[in-house]
């Protein structure tokens, strides 16, 4: 009751404005709920009253007042609060252990402090802390009052915002209803629009298929063919298809528009026929560029031709036949004139005198030079040289007759053959692709239709090409030129396949069948000429010189040319012909060598000829001749070994026989006098013998490289023989002192610079 009276006295001193303020509860600990003392300022008391009114119930407030009154006496009542009768001494030890574990209690016990005194000290410190808290309240009381005022202001603002949001929510509800109404109206209008579009679409198609504008009729009947005319015609063609597709329907407009469309069909077909025929006639004008006209006129207006193909078969047939006849004449005439112009540019044709086994004096025109064509007018028919340049398809150029005639240029036939046929396949490719695109509408029959039209147009031109090749082939003995034409024809056939133009496949096959038998025939003539040369006494008796024979150069160049042209083709028939020719050539060369009675000259003749063949093969720098080159190197090596023995026998024959017998019979024992005689003879004659051998090699081989090789082989073999002979002497333990190997080698080095 005393605490309630005190609270009533404190509250009476608070103004009415302060009583109307309600502060929010301030979170405090149990120690902070102690009321201020009688000496506290009025503001602190007012704050405590407000806090208690807003946070603490009445009964709790009363209990707190009682606690506040008894706070000052808390130290005196500690003994009264403890009921020693309730303590069980069985647990005293446990409590003492627990207190000893506490850090503060253990420290107090260590300092021998009285715990009751320590408790009173703690109570006094608690009162001091409480007073500090009250002072802190006094310092910040005004801020708490201001904060309460701001919170009330915020509550008012939030109240007004709540009213605005409630109003906005009501407006949103009204708008949602309006939107739903608009959606229903939109759905209804969308259905109506969809129905009207469906009707308009069907009606529009019907109108487009039946209504012909007057300007379209005027343009089709009176206007010239141009892009606008083509556009109008395509529109009318669509209308014709529509009327035909719907002619069974009971629509009066369809029956009325039918006769008008028929009139337009006939008029358009006549106009298209006249348009194309007039343009086709322009193709036959001299110097007309067919490819440009085909691209700029015919393909540009190909839809017109498709129209007559569908609507007027007679007009389409007349256009096609006129085009076929005109182009047939055009290509036949132009290729005929071009072939005649090319023939005038051809160099001298090879004849029977240009075979590999024909004597040189026959090729020069006989004894009195009665031949009309001198040898200098003919190119080397056996060497390939730069004639292989015609196989390079990267060069698209063709021979222009008027330019070549002005420059007085002459060409090999393979160049003329390539120029003619390259021009033919270029024009044929362009024409076939045009025919396929212009005259064919159905893809299923387009290829067959295009091929039949193409064959009719190019049949005369193909005959001109076949005659052009045939006239040369029947009289040609130039095997290299014929093989070049075969390779060019193969390349052209592959080019046609790459361009996807199958129409000239028959022409390239026929050309190949025309040239290939002639080439085989000419090859057989070359082989037969070698056989006749083998049996010719005049040819054999004319061999007096050990230098390479003219037939050797012919063979080496001819074989190298054939092998190079067979690279990448690996034709077994051609390879077999080359091997036959090689066998016959070896037989001829062997018989020629027997015209020399002396073995060294006979062998030197073969070495010079084989060396020439090896040199020519190596100059080709082609892997195609590797097989033949290795074969010829083996023959050259065998003849070189034989020549070495022939050179050493006259000077060191006894020593060589001794070494060979020792190799054949290792257990053989030579007589000491014989070995001493051989060693003594070598010591006396070896220097002079080296000089004689050097002079002999110079006489047999005037070629620097070949002579050096043979001389090195001779001297090297001498060192080998002499080394083996010294081994024989060492085994017999002879007391003689032969010439040392090093001495011989030093002397041999002096002869290395002879050639």
């Amino acid at each position: 009751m005393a605490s309630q009276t005190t609270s009533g006295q404190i509250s009476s001193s608070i103004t009415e404005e302060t009583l109307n303020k309600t502060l929010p509860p301030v979170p405090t600990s149990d120690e902070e709920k102690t009321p201020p003392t009688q000496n506290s300022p009025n503001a602190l008391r007012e704050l405590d009253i407000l806090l208690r009114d807003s946070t603490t119930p009445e009964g709790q407030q009363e209990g707190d007042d009682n606690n506040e009154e008894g706070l000052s006496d808390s130290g005196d009542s500690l003994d009264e609060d403890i009921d020693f009768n309730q303590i069980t001494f069985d647990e005293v030890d446990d409590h003492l252990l627990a207190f000893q574990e506490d850090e503060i209690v253990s420290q107090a016990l260590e300092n021998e402090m009285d715990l009751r005194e320590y408790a009173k000290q703690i109570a006094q410190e608690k009162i001091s802390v409480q007073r500090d808290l009250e002072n802190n309240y006094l310092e910040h009381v005004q801020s708490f009052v201001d904060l309460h005022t701001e919170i009330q202001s915020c509550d008012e603002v939030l109240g007004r915002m709540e009213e605005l949001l409630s109003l906005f929510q009501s407006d949103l509800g009204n708008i949602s209803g309006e939107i739903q109404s608009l959606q229903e109206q939109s759905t209804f209008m969308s259905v109506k629009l969809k129905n009207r579009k469906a009707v308009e679409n069907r009606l529009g198609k019907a109108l487009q298929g039946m209504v012909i504008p007057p300007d379209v009729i005027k343009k089709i009947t009176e206007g010239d063919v141009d892009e606008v005319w083509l556009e109008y015609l395509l529109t009318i063609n669509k209308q014709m298809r529509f009327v035909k597709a719907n002619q069974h329907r009971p629509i009066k407009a369809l029956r009325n528009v039918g006769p008008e469309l028929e009139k337009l069909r006939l008029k358009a077909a006549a106009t298209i026929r006249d348009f194309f025929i007039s343009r086709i006639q322009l193709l036959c004008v001299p110097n007309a560029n067919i490819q440009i006209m085909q691209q700029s006129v015919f393909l540009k207006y190909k839809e017109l031709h498709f129209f007559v193909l569908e609507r007027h078969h007679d007009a389409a047939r007349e256009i096609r036949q006129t085009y076929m006849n005109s182009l047939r004449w055009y290509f036949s005439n132009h290729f005929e004139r071009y072939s005649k112009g090319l023939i005038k540019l051809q160099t001298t044709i090879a004849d029977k005198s240009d075979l590999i086994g024909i004597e040189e004096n026959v090729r020069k025109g006989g004894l009195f030079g009665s031949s009309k064509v001198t040898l200098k007018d003919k190119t080397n028919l056996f060497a390939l040289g730069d004639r292989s340049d015609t196989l390079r398809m990267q060069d698209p150029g063709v021979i222009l007759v008027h330019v070549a005639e002005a420059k007085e240029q002459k060409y090999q036939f393979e160049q003329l053959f390539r120029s003619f046929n390259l021009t033919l396949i270029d024009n044929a490719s362009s024409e076939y692709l045009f025919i396929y695109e212009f005259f064919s509408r159905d893809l299923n029959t387009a290829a067959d239709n295009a091929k039949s039209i193409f064959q009719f147009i190019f049949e005369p031109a193909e005959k001109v090409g076949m005659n052009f090749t045939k006239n040369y082939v029947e009289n040609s003995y130039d095997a290299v030129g014929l093989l070049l034409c075969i390779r060019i024809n193969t390349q052209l056939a592959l080019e046609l396949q790459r361009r996807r133009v199958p129409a000239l496949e028959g022409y390239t096959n026929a050309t190949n069948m025309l040239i290939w038998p002639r080439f085989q025939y000419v090859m057989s003539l070359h082989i037969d000429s070698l056989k006749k040369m083998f049996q010719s006494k005049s040819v054999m008796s004319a061999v007096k010189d050990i230098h390479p024979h003219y037939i050797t150069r012919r063979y080496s160049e001819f074989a190298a040319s054939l092998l190079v042209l067979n690279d990448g083709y690996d034709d077994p028939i051609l390879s077999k012909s080359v091997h036959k020719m090689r066998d016959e050539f070896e037989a001829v060369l062997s018989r020629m060598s027997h015209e020399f009675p002396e073995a060294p000259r006979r062998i030197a003749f073969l070495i010079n000829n084989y060396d020439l063949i090896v040199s020519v093969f190596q100059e080709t720098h082609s892997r195609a001749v590797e097989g033949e080159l290795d074969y010829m190197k083996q023959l050259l090596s065998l003849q070189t070994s034989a020549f070495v023995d022939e050179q050493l026998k006259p000077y060191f024959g006894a020593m060589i026989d001794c070494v060979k017998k020792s190799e054949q019979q290792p257990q053989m024992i030579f007589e000491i006098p014989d070995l001493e005689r051989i060693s003594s003879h070598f010591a006396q004659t070896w220097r002079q013998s080296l000089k004689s051998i050097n002079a002999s090699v110079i006489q047999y081989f005037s070629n620097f490289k070949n002579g050096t090789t043979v001389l090195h082989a001779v001297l090297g073999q001498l060192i080998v023989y002499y080394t083996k002979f010294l081994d024989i002497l060492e085994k017999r333990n002879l007391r003689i002192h032969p010439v040392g190997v090093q001495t011989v080698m030093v002397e041999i080095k002096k002869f290395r610079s002879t050639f």
Side-chain angles (χ1 to χ4, degrees):
M1 293 297 292
S3 61
Q4 292 178 357
T5 305
T6 305
S7 300
Q9 293 175 354
I10 294 173
S11 61
S12 63
S13 62
I14 302 175
T15 62
E16 182 178 357
E17 182 179 357
T18 306
L19 290 174
N20 294 331
K21 297 179 181 179
T22 59
L23 294 176
V26 178
T28 58
S29 61
D30 295 338
E31 291 81 6
E32 294 174 351
K33 295 180 181 179
T34 305
T37 60
Q38 298 295 326
N39 297 326
S40 300
N42 294 331
L44 181 59
R45 294 174 182 174
E46 294 176 2
L47 179 59
D48 284 340
I49 293 172
L50 291 175
L51 290 175
R52 294 178 188 278
D53 292 341
S54 59
T55 61
T56 307
E58 236 178 60
Q60 185 178 357
Q61 184 177 0
E62 183 178 352
D64 291 340
D65 291 339
N66 294 329
N67 292 335
E68 290 171 0
E69 291 177 357
L71 183 60
S72 58
D73 299 331
S74 60
D76 299 332
S77 61
L78 284 175
D79 296 336
E80 297 176 359
D81 293 337
I82 299 174
D83 188 2
F84 291 97
N85 295 325
Q86 300 296 328
I87 297 176
T88 59
F89 291 96
D90 295 336
E91 299 177 357
V92 171
D93 293 336
D94 295 335
H95 287 292
L96 289 176
L97 291 175
F99 289 149
Q100 288 179 357
E101 291 178 357
D102 185 85
E103 181 180 357
I104 298 174
V105 174
S106 62
Q107 186 176 2
L109 292 174
E110 289 177 0
N111 294 333
E112 297 179 355
M113 183 181 291
D114 187 0
L115 293 180
R116 293 181 182 274
E117 294 295 332
Y118 184 69
K120 292 180 180 181
Q121 181 182 351
I122 294 300
Q124 292 176 359
E125 291 178 359
K126 180 178 179 182
I127 295 172
S128 176
V129 171
Q130 183 174 354
R131 290 175 180 173
D132 293 339
L133 289 175
E134 291 174 355
N135 294 332
N136 190 20
Y137 283 151
L138 291 175
E139 293 175 0
H140 297 88
V141 64
Q142 187 61 42
S143 61
F144 290 143
V145 175
D146 295 339
L147 178 62
H148 179 68
T149 304
E150 292 177 1
I151 292 174
Q152 282 187 337
S153 177
C154 290
D155 288 341
E156 295 176 0
V157 173
L158 291 175
R160 291 195 297 271
M161 288 296 295
E162 183 179 5
E163 294 177 359
L164 291 174
L165 291 175
S166 299
L167 181 60
F168 181 70
Q169 184 177 8
S170 176
D171 294 340
L172 285 178
N174 297 332
I175 293 173
S176 176
E178 294 177 0
I179 290 175
Q180 184 176 2
S181 176
L182 291 174
Q183 286 180 344
E184 294 176 355
Q185 296 179 9
S186 175
T187 303
F188 178 73
M189 295 176 66
S190 177
V191 173
K192 292 175 62 178
L193 178 62
K194 184 177 180 181
N195 295 334
R196 291 183 180 182
K197 284 185 176 181
V199 174
E200 181 183 4
N201 186 24
R202 299 181 64 180
L203 183 60
K205 289 182 178 179
L207 293 176
Q208 288 180 356
M210 294 183 293
V211 177
I212 306 174
D215 56 336
V216 174
I217 298 175
K218 184 177 181 180
K219 181 66 176 179
I220 294 297
T221 56
E222 300 177 3
D224 297 329
V225 176
D226 54 14
E227 295 180 358
V228 178
W229 198 92
L230 174 62
E231 183 180 355
Y232 286 167
L233 180 68
L234 295 178
T235 301
I236 292 176
N237 193 31
K238 292 180 181 179
Q239 291 177 334
M240 292 179 180
R241 293 173 184 171
F242 178 82
V243 172
K244 184 177 181 180
N246 296 276
Q247 60 184 357
H248 61 281
R249 295 186 177 182
I251 302 176
K252 185 177 181 180
L254 292 175
R255 294 191 297 271
N256 295 335
V257 78
E260 300 299 327
L261 289 175
E262 179 64 18
K263 295 177 183 179
L264 289 175
R265 181 185 71 86
L266 296 176
K267 179 60 179 177
T271 303
I272 293 171
R273 181 188 65 82
D274 296 339
F275 172 77
F276 279 122
I277 289 179
S278 63
R279 299 304 186 276
I280 292 171
Q281 292 174 352
L282 294 177
L283 298 177
C284 300
V285 176
N287 300 324
N289 194 321
I290 294 181
Q291 284 79 15
I292 293 179
M293 292 191 64
Q294 287 175 343
Q295 296 294 327
S296 62
V297 178
F298 289 88
L299 292 181
K300 181 179 180 180
Y301 295 103
K302 66 178 180 180
E303 295 294 336
L304 300 181
H305 182 252
F306 291 161
F307 177 83
V308 295
L309 280 176
E310 182 181 0
R311 302 298 176 186
H312 204 292
H313 300 294
D314 293 338
R317 190 179 302 109
E318 184 177 356
I319 293 171
R320 183 180 64 178
Q321 195 61 40
T322 303
Y323 180 85
M324 291 168 59
N325 294 333
S326 300
L327 270 293
R328 179 186 176 94
W329 173 87
Y330 173 84
F331 286 116
S332 175
N333 182 48
H334 280 67
F335 279 106
E336 182 71 29
R337 289 191 291 109
Y338 188 57
S339 65
K340 292 179 180 179
L342 290 177
I343 291 175
K344 296 178 182 179
L345 303 177
Q346 185 176 349
T347 58
T348 305
I349 303 176
D351 51 26
K352 288 185 177 181
S353 64
D354 294 305
L355 297 175
I356 188 174
I358 300 300
E359 297 182 42
E360 193 71 20
N361 59 347
V362 175
R363 297 185 74 228
K364 293 181 179 180
L367 182 61
F368 301 100
S370 59
S371 177
K372 295 182 181 180
V373 181
T374 60
L375 186 62
K376 66 179 182 179
D377 294 330
K378 295 183 179 181
T379 57
N380 189 352
L381 301 177
F382 302 104
L384 182 60
D386 57 358
R387 298 177 71 178
S388 61
D389 294 342
T390 55
L391 295 176
R392 299 175 182 174
M393 293 298 293
Q394 291 84 358
D395 181 15
V398 296
I399 298 174
L400 301 178
V401 176
H402 62 282
V403 175
E405 289 178 347
K407 295 181 179 180
E408 297 182 355
Q409 293 177 329
K410 296 294 182 179
Y411 298 92
Q412 293 286 343
F413 178 77
E414 63 268 12
Q415 295 174 297
L416 306 179
F417 177 83
R418 177 185 179 276
S419 181
F420 179 89
N421 285 280
L422 185 60
T423 305
L424 179 64
I425 71 164
D426 285 343
N427 284 272
S429 300
S430 176
E431 187 63 27
Y432 178 83
L433 296 176
F434 167 77
I435 293 172
Y436 186 91
E437 185 175 357
F438 185 78
F439 287 100
S440 303
R441 190 173 188 180
D442 186 4
L443 296 178
N444 296 326
T445 60
D448 296 335
N449 185 36
K451 190 173 183 179
S452 63
I453 297 175
F454 176 85
Q455 289 177 347
F456 179 83
I457 294 174
F458 269 86
E459 182 182 1
E462 292 180 9
K463 289 183 179 179
V464 172
M466 294 298 295
N467 292 332
F468 174 73
T469 304
K470 184 178 180 181
N471 292 335
Y472 168 79
V473 168
E474 289 179 347
N475 301 311
S476 175
Y477 292 86
D478 182 9
V480 175
L482 292 172
L483 186 56
L484 281 170
C485 292
I486 293 173
R487 300 303 182 226
I488 292 171
N489 185 66
T490 303
Q491 288 185 350
L492 295 177
L494 295 175
E495 180 65 17
L496 287 172
Q497 292 180 6
R498 187 185 67 82
R499 298 180 183 181
R500 298 182 180 180
V501 179
L504 279 180
E505 182 178 353
Y507 172 76
T508 55
N509 292 336
T511 302
N512 191 62
M513 294 302 296
L514 180 64
I515 303 176
W516 186 252
R518 180 66 184 182
F519 170 75
Q520 291 179 312
Y521 173 71
V522 173
M523 284 298 300
S524 65
L525 292 180
H526 281 290
I527 296 173
D528 292 340
S529 68
L530 290 174
K531 294 180 180 179
K532 293 178 181 179
M533 176 173 280
F534 179 82
Q535 300 172 357
S536 175
K537 294 182 179 180
S538 60
V539 175
M540 299 302 166
S541 61
V543 179
K544 304 295 182 182
D545 194 356
I546 62 174
H547 292 92
H549 197 268
Y550 60 82
I551 191 178
T552 302
R553 179 164 290 278
R554 292 183 193 174
Y555 165 78
S556 59
E557 293 177 346
F558 190 34
S561 300
L562 297 178
L563 292 173
V564 170
L565 292 177
N566 198 33
D567 186 19
Y569 297 91
D570 300 328
D571 193 329
I573 299 177
L574 178 58
S575 300
K576 186 177 180 180
S577 299
V578 173
H579 291 161
K580 286 183 179 180
M581 185 174 64
R582 184 189 67 189
D583 295 339
E584 296 299 331
F585 167 75
E586 287 185 33
V588 171
L589 198 63
S590 176
R591 183 173 179 183
M592 286 181 177
S593 66
H594 286 84
E595 295 296 321
F596 300 97
E598 303 87 358
R601 289 177 60 82
R602 180 168 59 252
I603 298 173
F605 173 78
L606 293 175
I607 290 176
N608 286 327
N609 283 274
Y610 288 141
D611 179 70
L612 176 61
I613 297 173
V614 170
S615 299
V616 173
F617 283 176
Q618 288 176 340
E619 290 174 357
T620 60
H621 303 290
S622 174
R623 60 181 180 85
V625 301
E626 290 179 356
E628 290 295 314
L629 178 60
D630 294 338
Y631 179 79
M632 289 299 169
K633 284 183 177 180
Q634 292 178 3
L635 296 179
L636 178 60
S637 177
L638 291 174
Q639 297 302 325
T640 302
S641 299
F643 183 80
V644 167
D645 290 340
E646 290 295 330
Q647 288 295 306
L648 294 177
K649 280 182 181 180
Y651 307 101
F652 309 103
M655 183 183 67
I656 294 173
D657 291 339
C658 180
V659 171
K660 289 185 176 180
K661 288 180 181 179
S662 176
E663 292 177 347
Q664 295 173 0
Q665 301 177 8
Q667 305 299 327
M668 183 177 181
I669 300 176
F670 295 93
E671 297 295 333
I672 293 177
D674 294 337
L675 295 177
E676 291 178 347
R677 179 178 51 82
I678 294 173
S679 177
S680 177
H681 180 267
F682 181 86
Q684 295 174 2
T685 62
W686 71 275
R687 294 181 185 274
Q688 184 60 36
S689 298
L690 289 180
K691 294 180 181 180
S692 300
I693 291 173
N694 182 47
S696 176
V697 173
I698 292 176
Q699 179 184 357
Y700 288 126
F701 308 104
S702 58
N703 180 273
F704 174 81
K705 184 178 180 180
N706 188 28
T708 302
T709 303
V710 174
L711 179 60
H712 288 177
V714 174
L715 299 179
Q717 189 62 35
L718 174 61
I719 295 297
V720 173
Y721 282 140
Y722 187 62
T723 302
K724 293 181 179 180
F725 178 71
L726 292 179
D727 292 339
I728 296 173
L729 294 180
E730 185 178 356
K731 291 179 181 179
R732 295 303 305 270
N733 297 321
L734 297 180
R735 296 180 180 180
I736 59 176
H737 298 285
V739 180
V741 176
Q742 295 297 329
T743 304
V744 178
M745 294 181 65
V746 170
E747 189 67 22
I748 285 176
K749 290 181 179 179
K750 298 178 181 180
F751 298 97
R752 288 189 175 182
S753 60
T754 301
F755 286 89

